[in-house]
Amino acid sequence: MYVCLCRGITDQDIKDAVENGAGSYREVREMLDLGTCCGRCAPEARSIISAEVSAIASRLAIAA
């Protein structure tokens, strides 16, 4: 699903950025140029980032 229509960024692009080390909205924004046009995508992007960071933390906790 497209999250940022201005830049053509999908939810999978955001998830991939988190998997590749971005741990915050700011880091994802810098990697993908997300939310730099109109900003309407920011709330949804933040939600996706938060969910992905939590999922990664859960996987790491289970593996430990």
Side-chain angles (χ1 to χ4, degrees):
M1 148 184 93
Y2 281 97
V3 175
C4 178
L5 296 176
C6 298
R7 302 285 185 222
I9 298 169
T10 66
D11 58 332
Q12 190 60 53
D13 294 329
I14 295 169
K15 292 174 184 179
D16 290 344
V18 173
E19 285 288 332
N20 289 319
S24 68
Y25 175 76
R26 179 178 295 207
E27 291 172 349
V28 172
R29 185 183 68 206
E30 290 172 2
M31 289 176 83
L32 301 177
D33 201 28
L34 172 74
T36 59
C37 194
C38 76
R40 289 185 182 184
C41 60
E44 181 66 18
R46 288 179 191 274
S47 176
I48 293 167
I49 293 163
S50 178
E52 279 302 298
V53 168
S54 294
I56 290 170
S58 293
R59 287 194 304 261
L60 291 175
I62 291 171

